[in-house]
Amino acid sequence: MKREVVVAAAVTTAATLVGLAVFFRHWRRRSERRWRQVRRILRNLAWCSATTAAKLWDVANELACDMEAGEKGGGNNIRLLVSYLAPLPTGDEKGTFYGINLRGTNFLILRARLQGKNEPVTELHKQEIAIPTAIMANADSTRELCDLIGLELSKFISQHSETDNEAQTRERKLGFTVSYPINEDPASSGIASKWNRLSVDDTVGKELVAEINEAFKKHGVDMRVFAVVNDTVGDLAGGRYYSKETVAAVSLGMGTNVSYIESPEQVLNEPSNPAETVINMEWGNFNSFNLPLTEYDTSLDAESLDPGNRIFEKLISGMYLGEIVRRVLLKMAQEAALFGDSVPPKLTIPYSLRSPDMAAMHQDTSEDYEVVEEKLKEIFDINDSTPMAREIVTEICDIVAERGARLVGAGIVGIVKKMGRVENRKSVITIEGGLYDHYRIFRNYLHSSVWEILGDEHSDNVIIEHSHGGSGAGSIFLAASQTHKNAHS
């Protein structure tokens, strides 16, 4: 009897072991199939996103051609707007100056001291003021917005004692810049929609100047705004203050924009006009068959608020980089179970992955990608990711960031090429924005792409610098140039 029991137990154990072996073999094969699918999706993403030096040159050349066409009133992609016709800083301006930077949901008030082109910006003070929702939602609330700015500026001035002895002996100008609001939420639009496409003959800009100066008078602010311009014009002024070879400024944050200097006769056919002409180039709307688009870019564009527009911006700006990564992760979760048998519900939420979080994961140097693990938990409620899955996340971030950064580099080369400065003249390009400031790998890819495109022979002719004074500080330099101009006129 005992012998029969032992034999039965042995048979049962053997059957169990065989069953387990079959189960694990099946599990292993399924796991291998999933990982092959993950790698297949990743390879396809890398192939479609490739930016060879030849492709980058094609993009640069086409952008330069579009700029030429835009100056002649043609071109289908980008629009060139004459944004500033007054003298830019020379580096000789000194004193304490004030500025306003109007942004999507808030505005910055700034105050700083300039001591000449050989000295850095000092005594920089900034205050951020939120714009009430009621004002933001109403496209006709310009007067209320300006009244708020005048009130807050008067408070700001009273809190910072005036140390500039020249303040009482000159008419003071205040620089006023606008950062384009970029948001895929239509509920946040309203008055912000009026800020786009500011130019020297823009009625919205003139309305804002008149209203803000009236508000200053009402609140006892002894300053005047001379023009409302986009923030890249201010950044360009800051670059010109420190180097006469500064020819363009790039904004690279949630959105993107560019301003560059052109001779007046080139654009306005007015060779007698002594002022430098600053062109605002809406390069975010640039499009080309040479842009390396993927299925994720196509779906993102189709589902955006403005399908078919701002294609270049959707490839390079902080608003969209994280969203592209999320879409790739969602496909891997759906088709290859990257995060387990079920798709994490929060992974399906559009724009839930922000570019700062993408940068943090991409730049994770810990052995088991601990930062990636924490971000996946925090953003998508993914609590059991494997080290291999986390590595895949960083590879996706790298592909998307590299493509975006290298396209920015191609765009910069295209601008310099259009200006005829690639081969024999130094050109300084200033860049400002959170994407450039805080995303180290993105910044490195951008710089290296310019060197790769131009080669050893010409790469030293293009110098990329961080904007002076940080976000919004361009308004300070505009105020300095206008105050200095009046003092010597």
Side-chain angles (χ1 to χ4, degrees):
M1 182 68 180
K2 289 183 179 180
R3 182 176 180 182
E4 292 176 355
V5 171
V6 170
V7 170
V11 170
T12 302
T13 301
T16 301
L17 291 175
V18 170
L20 287 173
V22 170
F23 170 79
F24 281 116
R25 185 161 56 247
H26 174 73
W27 175 85
R28 183 176 178 180
R29 287 175 179 173
R30 187 177 64 166
S31 178
E32 289 175 350
R33 284 197 302 270
R34 288 177 172 179
W35 280 108
R36 281 197 299 270
Q37 178 64 1
V38 166
R39 286 293 175 186
R40 189 177 298 114
I41 294 172
L42 190 67
R43 285 194 304 271
N44 183 66
L45 174 69
W47 184 81
C48 293
S49 303
T51 50
T52 63
K55 181 178 285 290
L56 293 178
W57 258 122
D58 289 338
V59 171
N61 287 330
E62 191 161 355
L63 179 65
C65 290
D66 270 17
M67 292 172 68
E68 293 278 2
E71 287 185 351
K72 297 174 183 176
N76 297 320
N77 294 324
I78 56 177
R79 184 182 178 196
L80 305 181
L81 300 171
V82 179
S83 295
Y84 193 71
L85 284 172
L88 290 169
T90 63
D92 296 326
E93 299 85 354
K94 296 181 180 180
T96 300
F97 303 97
Y98 289 80
I100 297 287
N101 177 225
L102 184 59
R103 307 193 286 188
T105 58
N106 59 68
F107 60 90
L108 279 180
I109 304 176
L110 304 96
R111 173 185 181 274
R113 172 169 284 276
L114 302 180
Q115 302 180 80
K117 59 187 174 185
N118 295 321
E119 300 294 334
V121 177
T122 59
E123 301 176 29
L124 177 62
H125 300 278
K126 297 183 180 182
Q127 183 176 348
E128 182 178 303
I129 307 295
I131 301 174
T133 304
I135 294 178
M136 285 300 307
N138 185 0
D140 297 319
S141 59
T142 300
R143 179 167 296 180
E144 291 82 354
L145 173 62
C146 293
D147 188 68
L148 174 65
I149 293 173
L151 175 63
E152 294 297 338
L153 179 59
S154 66
K155 294 178 183 178
F156 181 84
I157 293 173
S158 66
Q159 294 169 0
H160 297 85
S161 59
E162 182 62 80
T163 58
D164 185 3
N165 294 328
E166 300 177 30
Q168 303 304 320
T169 63
R170 66 187 180 190
E171 180 185 13
R172 292 195 292 177
K173 299 290 186 179
L174 179 137
F176 200 116
T177 60
V178 174
S179 299
Y180 288 167
I182 301 295
N183 201 321
E184 283 294 326
D185 180 7
S188 69
S189 62
I191 192 171
S193 64
K194 298 173 65 175
W195 303 343
N196 294 322
R197 298 179 173 86
L198 291 171
S199 63
V200 292
D201 59 353
D202 179 66
T203 55
V204 173
K206 291 178 180 179
E207 173 193 354
L208 196 52
V209 168
E211 293 285 2
I212 195 69
N213 284 332
E214 187 65 29
F216 284 1
K217 185 182 298 184
K218 172 183 175 181
H219 293 285
V221 176
D222 186 23
M223 296 182 193
R224 292 294 176 267
V225 172
F226 57 93
V228 176
V229 298
N230 75 71
D231 56 350
T232 54
V233 177
D235 295 334
L236 185 55
R240 179 54 70 92
Y241 184 84
Y242 286 99
S243 172
K244 64 180 181 181
E245 294 172 330
T246 299
V247 296
V250 179
S251 174
L252 200 56
M254 291 295 283
T256 184
N257 199 23
V258 174
S259 288
Y260 69 95
I261 297 173
E262 190 60 271
S263 59
E265 61 269 20
Q266 188 79 17
V267 180
L268 302 177
N269 296 316
E270 296 181 8
S272 61
N273 191 334
E276 293 180 288
T277 304
V278 177
I279 303 298
N280 170 28
M281 180 177 71
E282 298 177 352
W283 80 342
N285 212 36
F286 172 65
N287 196 2
S288 165
F289 288 114
N290 289 307
L291 294 177
L293 299 176
T294 68
E295 61 183 274
Y296 313 101
D297 305 304
T298 302
S299 63
L300 183 154
D301 176 58
E303 297 167 19
S304 69
L305 294 178
D306 55 352
N309 296 308
R310 293 171 29 224
I311 300 300
F312 195 56
E313 181 171 79
K314 290 169 184 173
L315 294 174
I316 68 174
S317 71
M319 180 70 197
Y320 301 101
L321 293 182
E323 173 62 6
I324 297 169
V325 171
R326 184 198 68 83
R327 287 171 180 264
V328 180
L329 291 176
L330 179 60
K331 179 169 183 173
M332 288 184 173
Q334 292 171 333
E335 298 184 7
L338 179 64
F339 301 114
D341 290 332
S342 60
V343 176
K346 287 190 175 182
L347 189 58
T348 65
I349 301 175
Y351 297 95
S352 52
L353 179 59
R354 299 160 52 250
S355 58
D357 295 319
M358 170 188 170
M361 293 192 296
H362 189 187
Q363 297 173 156
D364 184 3
T365 57
S366 60
E367 184 175 351
D368 290 325
Y369 301 102
E370 295 169 3
V371 174
V372 177
E373 181 179 25
E374 182 61 31
K375 290 295 181 183
L376 291 176
K377 289 179 182 178
E378 174 188 327
I379 300 166
F380 301 122
D381 281 344
I382 298 173
N383 297 311
D384 54 356
S385 62
T386 65
M388 288 179 66
R390 299 196 288 270
E391 183 179 3
I392 291 293
V393 172
T394 64
E395 291 183 39
I396 296 169
C397 291
D398 188 69
I399 292 170
V400 173
E402 181 180 20
R403 180 189 64 171
R406 286 170 67 82
L407 288 174
V408 174
I412 289 173
V413 171
I415 294 170
V416 176
K417 181 178 187 294
K418 185 268 168 192
M419 301 176 75
R421 301 176 66 99
V422 168
E423 296 182 358
N424 52 17
R425 301 182 68 181
K426 296 283 186 183
S427 297
V428 177
I429 313 294
T430 68
I431 303 183
E432 185 276 328
L435 192 61
Y436 183 79
D437 295 349
H438 307 302
Y439 202 158
R440 172 181 48 81
I441 296 179
F442 186 97
R443 184 169 64 246
N444 291 343
Y445 275 140
L446 193 165
H447 285 243
S448 64
S449 69
V450 173
W451 300 332
E452 183 179 341
I453 296 168
L454 296 178
D456 294 338
E457 186 177 359
H458 302 306
S459 59
D460 290 341
N461 289 342
V462 177
I463 302 166
I464 298 176
E465 294 183 349
H466 188 274
S467 65
H468 299 274
S471 177
S475 58
I476 295 292
F477 296 100
L478 290 172
S481 64
Q482 281 297 305
T483 302
H484 187 77
K485 169 193 170 186
N486 288 346
H488 291 79
S489 59

